[in-house]
Amino acid sequence: MATNDEIEQDLAAEKAAILIESLSWLKQYSGKIVVVKFGGNAMINEDLKRAFAEDMVYLRYAGLHPVVVHGGGPQISAALEESGIESEFRGGYRVTSTEAISVVRRVLADEVNREIVELMNAHADAGHPVLAAGVFGDGKSLFSGERKGVVVDGERFDLGHVGDITHVDPSSALNVIARGLIPVVSSIASENSDPSQALNVNADAAAGALAIALQATKLVVLTDVPGLYSDWPNRDSLVDLITVDELTALLPSLESGMIPKMTACLDAVVGGVGGATIIDGRIPHAILLEVFTQRGAGTEVIPNSKRKSQ
């Protein structure tokens, strides 16, 4: 039977092995930008929110430059209901009236964004009094876009203040990074034809577009599933790695909820991002598992050339 000293030595050896395993990843990502889309259950579970904030702070102290992009669907729905504004969805998109967009902006900037920033800044100290800062998509035209409609059962619907991103000016996020801080970005865009008007944009798409503009080394998208299944609901069909061509062929057959996430990953890799991964945000510290271990987590989208070189 092992003694207490032997048990402690074994535990110490395991911890050392984990740290050494992260060495190659630290060398690969140190000084590089990693964009993380924060969403799903991780946004509404208090423990997961705290764990996510710890992960981002850890990445920053480890020498990476994490950039967080968030939406806020559940919080927006609650705020609209409280304001007496009915939430209506068409083709998977929230119909956003002029009255509703003001609520959306307030929730994203004053509630969701502020909370994420505060959770990260809770780890500040005298040497680093501030660790994160909010960046708002429509504030300095970080994101700009055009309104979109949707066709459902052959009928076209006006979605109001809902749009697609057509341009990204990453300077405001880069300025925050240059200050040594973590940018926390809200998924709101300015309308091209009238910059005073805000557009509600998909947070997955915003994260992918920003990753391209920042020339990020990696995009990580938090989801509420373990990864991409090639034959859902067959749970044995979980995919570890998928190339651009393989994903392009698979995309039309995916569940509707996975399409925007996988499209964001696909667009990011095609746009020059080194890799894009969707991971299960319900697992505490899943991001650290993905970035720093050989095993990784979730499903990674890679350029076609990487598959050929393996």
Side-chain angles (χ1 to χ4, degrees):
M1 185 175 180
T3 65
N4 287 337
D5 286 345
E6 290 172 333
I7 292 173
E8 289 181 2
Q9 287 176 354
D10 288 343
L11 289 173
E14 288 179 11
K15 292 178 181 179
I18 292 170
L19 291 173
I20 290 300
E21 185 180 1
S22 70
L23 179 59
S24 63
W25 296 98
L26 284 171
K27 290 193 293 185
Q28 179 180 353
Y29 290 113
S30 181
K32 304 294 178 58
I33 295 173
V34 175
V35 175
V36 181
K37 189 268 178 168
F38 182 46
N41 195 54
M43 285 196 72
I44 56 178
N45 180 289
E46 296 299 325
D47 292 335
L48 291 175
K49 281 193 287 189
R50 284 190 290 270
F52 174 81
E54 289 171 347
D55 285 359
M56 294 300 99
V57 172
Y58 187 98
L59 292 181
R60 184 64 198 95
Y61 276 113
L64 286 72
H65 295 296
V67 176
V68 177
V69 179
H70 69 87
Q75 296 90 335
I76 290 170
S77 294
L80 289 172
E81 182 178 359
E82 186 176 328
S83 301
I85 302 173
E86 182 180 356
S87 288
E88 180 184 3
F89 291 86
R90 295 285 187 180
Y93 295 93
R94 185 190 301 274
V95 178
T96 307
S97 65
T98 300
E99 185 181 19
I101 192 64
S102 63
V103 176
V104 171
R105 291 178 70 177
R106 173 178 58 78
V107 170
L108 291 180
D110 296 341
E111 296 179 21
V112 179
N113 191 284
R114 179 178 297 176
E115 181 183 24
I116 298 170
V117 169
E118 288 177 350
L119 285 169
M120 294 180 191
N121 284 336
H123 298 280
D125 55 31
H128 299 84
V130 179
L131 295 171
V135 179
F136 308 108
D138 62 335
K140 293 184 179 179
S141 297
L142 170 61
F143 299 125
S144 54
E146 297 176 349
R147 295 197 186 203
K148 66 179 299 174
V150 65
V151 177
V152 180
D153 296 330
E155 185 177 357
R156 185 171 181 82
F157 290 93
D158 178 10
L159 296 171
H161 291 260
V162 175
D164 289 323
I165 294 171
T166 58
H167 178 71
V168 181
D169 178 357
S171 56
S172 55
L174 287 169
N175 289 339
V176 174
I177 293 172
R179 291 162 52 199
L181 305 180
I182 302 168
V184 180
V185 180
S186 294
S187 53
I188 290 285
S190 297
E191 188 173 356
N192 287 330
S193 59
D194 184 356
S196 68
Q197 298 296 311
L199 297 176
N200 190 6
V201 296
N202 179 273
D204 298 309
L210 184 57
I212 295 169
L214 291 172
Q215 300 181 318
T217 299
K218 192 173 186 66
L219 168 66
V220 180
V221 178
L222 269 65
T223 67
D224 285 340
V225 294
L228 173 66
Y229 291 90
S230 61
D231 184 26
W232 179 257
N234 178 8
R235 294 187 179 275
D236 292 329
S237 65
L238 184 64
V239 178
D240 292 328
L241 284 175
I242 188 168
T243 66
V244 165
D245 284 350
E246 291 166 346
L247 179 55
T248 300
L250 184 63
L251 200 61
S253 66
L254 298 182
E255 292 287 312
S256 60
M258 287 298 290
I259 290 176
K261 302 180 188 308
M262 297 315 303
T263 299
C265 291
L266 178 64
D267 290 346
V269 175
V270 170
V273 177
T277 306
I278 61 167
I279 63 174
D280 193 341
R282 299 170 300 178
I283 300 173
H285 305 298
I287 292 173
L288 298 188
L289 291 174
E290 165 57 27
V291 175
F292 289 137
T293 69
Q294 297 289 345
R295 179 176 63 84
T299 301
E300 183 174 13
V301 182
I302 58 174
N304 296 318
S305 58
K306 280 192 176 181
R307 177 78 84 189
K308 295 173 184 177
S309 65
Q310 290 177 353

